[in-house]
Amino acid sequence: MLWRKNRQTSSPLHPISKASTTPFFLNVSPLHTLYGESYGAIEGGTPALFLHGGPGSGCHHGQKALFDPKTWRVIFFDQRGSGKSTPKTSIEENTTPLLIEDIEAIREHWAIESWVVVGGSWGATLALAYARAYPHRVRGMVLRGTFLARPEDTQWAFYDAPQLFRPDLWEQLCALTHSQTPIEKLMDDLSHDDPAIHQYAARLWGWCEQSLALLNPQTTTLPSINPQEPLTTPVPNTPYIESHYIRHDFFLKETPLLANTDPLRHMPIIMLCGRYDLLCPPRCSYALKNAIGDNCHVRLIEKAGHSTSDKPLQDALAHAITEASQWPVP
């Protein structure tokens, strides 16, 4: 009993306060309405923005445990086509520049002058793109598993890494898609009119990506299912949005993240990366660090992959966020 108490005391995570949550909806276009939540101390809390990954995954309740609700005032929101935002799965009017303007609309809605931006994976990509566009609104950033959205990063995450580290998974994917180029086949199927086809593709995509995200996945065997069978589990949303962004080079081809890092040089940046992150390997974080300079710090987390389901990475992220609460207002 004493061991369990000590274990809980040493955890960097915080109890989630339901009373500290204020839901909101924000219309950002005739088509898109964003769902979000303000969490924590509205009066006196350090403002923060949390950006989920994917693109397309949406925020979830457990992410609030990273923040002390007595210290922070955090804005969580589901990006276009994601989570509780509507229309769900929509790729229409869904681009990186529009997401950046959505963030500004949310900031203005809550009358926040500047905030700390926290993001993981694609959320880190969007955080960097936003901070570069509106540097005077960003006090600093805490990034996890940074994805730079270069062609070589997409090539690594969706082609090279699975073939190198999960060759059994890759062979199954080829067999189940009846293709030696399974990613292209899945992207084609995700845009198919037949729900049985695009939902099956989404499930394959989701299972594959989950296997790559974890340091020790429970299995690297893809379920062998009949596409015509009734669905017994929810269809993941991320593959639809993610494939759309991949097809368009994440809408950053004209403005690569490493092309102009001058706006980022004034702000503190902590980047956390699992040493065995197969999707966004440490070299991505170091490339950004070398481009920005001394204010950017990389922390490699042992015994961790890409996902915060790996406890060492989750704990390190919570510690970094607590540290960021002490950053001065610019």
Side-chain angles (χ1 to χ4, degrees), residues 70 77 83 107 182 186 190 248 263 326:
K70 297 177 182 178
F77 82 100
R107 185 192 62 77
L186 288 177
L190 283 165
H248 292 87
Q326 303 303 313

Side-chain angles (χ1 to χ4, degrees), residues 200-215:
Y200 178 66
R203 295 168 78 184
L204 283 182
W205 184 296
W207 281 320
C208 184
E209 194 162 24
Q210 183 179 37
S211 175
L212 291 167
L214 295 169
L215 178 62

Side-chain angles (χ1 to χ4, degrees), residues 190-247:
L190 283 165
S191 59
H192 201 282
D193 291 336
D194 186 343
I197 293 176
H198 68 70
Q199 290 175 356
Y200 178 66
R203 295 168 78 184
L204 283 182
W205 184 296
W207 281 320
C208 184
E209 194 162 24
Q210 183 179 37
S211 175
L212 291 167
L214 295 169
L215 178 62
N216 292 307
Q218 292 183 345
T219 179
T220 57
T221 300
L222 295 175
S224 181
I225 59 175
N226 185 338
Q228 303 303 323
E229 288 180 359
L231 296 176
T232 57
T233 57
V235 177
N237 187 68
T238 299
Y240 297 97
I241 311 296
E242 200 166 54
S243 60
H244 164 66
Y245 272 74
I246 290 173
R247 286 189 183 277

Side-chain angles (χ1 to χ4, degrees), residues 29-47:
S29 81
L31 176 64
H32 286 279
T33 299
L34 304 180
Y35 172 81
E37 295 179 356
S38 174
Y39 176 71
I42 294 180
E43 298 295 332
T46 300

Side-chain angles (χ1 to χ4, degrees), residues 15-37:
I16 297 174
S17 171
K18 292 183 179 179
S20 299
T21 299
T22 303
F24 68 93
F25 289 92
L26 185 65
N27 296 324
V28 290
S29 81
L31 176 64
H32 286 279
T33 299
L34 304 180
Y35 172 81
E37 295 179 356

Side-chain angles (χ1 to χ4, degrees), residues 2 36 41 75 89 168 203 249 289:
L2 180 61
I75 303 299
T89 315
D168 51 341
R203 295 168 78 184
D249 297 305
K289 174 186 180 299

